[in-house]
Amino acid sequence: MLTAVSIDANNEIFFLAYGIVDTESTESWTYFFRNLRCLFATEGCHKDDWTFISDIMRGVDAAIHDFYPKETRRICCQHLYFNCKTAGWSGSTFHKLFWIAADAYNEYVFEKAMTKIKEHDVAPEKYLRDVLEQWSKKMFDSKVCCDHNTTNIVESFNSCTKAFRDMPMLTLLEAVRNWVMKRVGSRFDKAINMEPDQLIEYAQNILQSRSDDSRFCHVTLCGGGGEREFEVRDRHVKFPINQDLMTCGCGKWQGSGIPCKHGLRVIYHQRLEPTNFISTYFKGAAYKATYARHIHPMANPTHWPSFDVPQILPTNVKRSAGRPTKQRRRAPHEARKGKRHKNNWNFQGVEA
């Protein structure tokens, strides 16, 4: 089952499309993205500059580029790190430096981490430099206002629909539709009562967290001229702030669409309201537009109208030997679910 999921303003799963194919290949992904493009066109959306994030799956790159020539490709950093680990580049030092580079919002932090990776080992630094897809947050387009660099949202969807995998095909599709319908319906009801400028709960939590951290920052200089520019000192580091452009030298404000602690320090210093400096993506108007329509209920299959069409029989599939696996195959870097650690007790000298 191929799926395309997105993230709404509340950092929750927004389901787009799903389909059943025989195997994961260039042909099947081409079929999937062609129909996804037709789906967008039906809703009046003809944009080509979508941002896609995935691991390196067979056939995805070629299929996306055929139907979305202006697309932006991100790669899941968790899978990218696993590729590095498979190549022999591991250890606590590399792990720490890799994620510092991956989560860096500005060029300085990224280059400093990459320099230390190079000092640790030249090979992984060259490999990461040659990655064509975007993987560090400093590479992301600020207009997207989404700083996700992993596919955890997809893993969450797979976990939620795990109970449906053993069902027959039609029952599987109907179970997924019902699962999506319930969640979209509850958010549809939630969006009705929201004010246009009301902040989403996800943005409120981030704002509160960064607001607490802003207490340790100090506005040291106010600039003149047409733009409201400020300089904020965070311990021993200074960051330039442009309040009109809603940017900060740390990169987190423009990268996430929500003011960073340095930007909040300036906003509080000016006696202004932080809500006015948050991207409209995280406000009630956008959330209401996202869930403006809900998924309509369907009648029981026994009540469906009959059509005079040929009956499609299931294909002859040779069953593999052994019992079919039900658990998701975990990568070598992932912890085994429910695995207990054995205690190495020393019973020497103990008499029964």
Side-chain angles (χ1 to χ4, degrees):
M1 183 172 66
L2 307 183
T3 59
V5 299
S6 185
I7 304 171
D8 67 7
N10 206 30
N11 203 40
E12 296 177 315
I13 299 174
F14 183 80
F15 203 78
L16 290 175
Y18 61 106
I20 304 295
V21 297
D22 55 346
T23 184
E24 188 178 314
S25 62
T26 303
E27 183 180 4
S28 60
W29 277 113
T30 300
Y31 162 80
F32 182 81
F33 282 112
R34 180 172 62 248
N35 284 277
L36 185 63
R37 180 64 183 262
C38 293
L39 174 66
F40 289 152
T42 303
E43 297 298 325
C45 179
H46 301 279
K47 62 179 292 184
D48 294 326
D49 55 341
W50 290 90
T51 298
F52 294 91
I53 180 171
S54 69
D55 57 353
I56 302 178
M57 297 180 291
R58 186 183 306 169
V60 171
D61 285 333
I64 291 179
H65 186 71
D66 287 344
F67 296 99
Y68 303 95
K70 298 180 181 178
E71 48 82 24
T72 299
R73 284 282 282 122
R74 297 182 186 179
I75 185 174
C76 174
C77 284
Q78 189 65 53
H79 291 86
L80 181 61
Y81 174 75
F82 174 63
N83 293 342
C84 295
K85 193 173 181 179
T86 303
W89 309 316
S90 59
S92 59
T93 301
F94 175 74
H95 178 271
K96 180 180 179 180
L97 293 174
F98 172 85
W99 284 107
I100 291 176
D103 293 333
Y105 284 91
N106 61 69
E107 190 75 21
Y108 171 77
V109 176
F110 175 79
E111 289 298 334
K112 188 174 181 179
M114 294 295 289
T115 300
K116 291 185 177 181
I117 290 176
K118 187 175 182 179
E119 294 174 355
H120 178 71
D121 193 342
V122 177
E125 190 268 347
K126 184 180 184 305
Y127 171 76
L128 293 174
R129 295 279 189 187
D130 294 338
V131 174
L132 299 178
E133 296 86 359
Q134 297 179 354
W135 59 278
S136 175
K137 293 182 179 180
K138 70 100 182 177
M139 305 174 182
F140 298 165
D141 186 357
S142 59
K143 295 180 181 179
V144 179
C145 286
C146 178
D147 55 0
H148 283 252
N149 58 2
T150 66
T151 55
N152 290 343
I153 196 75
V154 181
E155 300 297 341
S156 298
F157 167 77
N158 291 337
S159 177
C160 293
T161 58
K162 177 182 175 181
F164 309 147
R165 296 178 185 176
D166 292 336
M167 296 179 176
M169 187 178 299
L170 184 60
T171 310
L172 165 67
L173 296 174
E174 181 61 13
V176 174
R177 187 197 67 83
N178 195 276
W179 181 88
V180 177
M181 181 181 66
K182 290 180 180 178
R183 279 149 183 81
V184 172
S186 62
R187 296 170 193 171
F188 175 85
D189 295 335
K190 178 181 177 181
I192 291 178
N193 300 321
M194 294 192 68
E195 297 295 331
D197 292 330
Q198 180 180 343
L199 279 187
I200 301 299
E201 182 181 359
Y202 170 74
Q204 290 177 357
N205 294 335
I206 293 182
L207 196 65
Q208 181 61 47
S209 176
R210 295 179 180 177
S211 178
D212 295 338
D213 295 337
S214 69
R215 294 176 299 172
F216 304 100
C217 302
H218 304 277
V219 179
T220 58
L221 178 66
C222 296
E227 295 182 341
R228 288 176 292 179
E229 295 181 324
F230 303 88
E231 186 178 281
V232 174
R233 179 169 54 86
D234 184 5
R235 294 182 176 90
H236 301 293
V237 183
K238 296 178 181 179
F239 296 95
I241 306 289
N242 190 310
Q243 193 171 323
D244 293 330
L245 299 178
M246 295 192 293
T247 61
C248 176
C250 73
K252 188 172 291 187
W253 189 350
Q254 56 268 34
S256 63
I258 302 174
C260 59
K261 59 181 180 180
H262 314 115
L264 283 173
R265 184 69 270 160
V266 171
I267 293 171
Y268 293 144
H269 180 267
Q270 296 293 102
R271 304 292 194 272
L272 300 174
E273 178 59 44
T275 307
N276 298 330
F277 297 91
I278 295 179
S279 172
T280 56
Y281 292 150
F282 300 102
K283 296 182 180 180
Y287 196 76
K288 291 171 72 74
T290 303
Y291 296 102
R293 293 182 294 175
H294 60 272
I295 298 178
H296 299 286
M298 292 181 61
N300 193 66
T302 56
H303 298 165
W304 292 357
S306 58
F307 297 94
D308 186 18
V309 294
Q311 183 178 4
I312 302 176
L313 300 177
T315 57
N316 295 324
V317 180
K318 185 179 179 180
R319 181 175 177 177
S320 304
R323 180 179 297 179
T325 58
K326 294 185 178 181
Q327 299 290 338
R328 182 177 68 87
R329 293 179 181 176
R330 294 177 177 265
H333 66 278
E334 295 181 297
R336 296 296 177 260
K337 182 178 181 181
K339 185 177 180 180
R340 296 182 179 179
H341 297 281
K342 296 181 179 179
N343 293 324
N344 296 322
W345 295 96
N346 186 359
F347 291 102
Q348 294 182 1
V350 179
E351 296 181 359

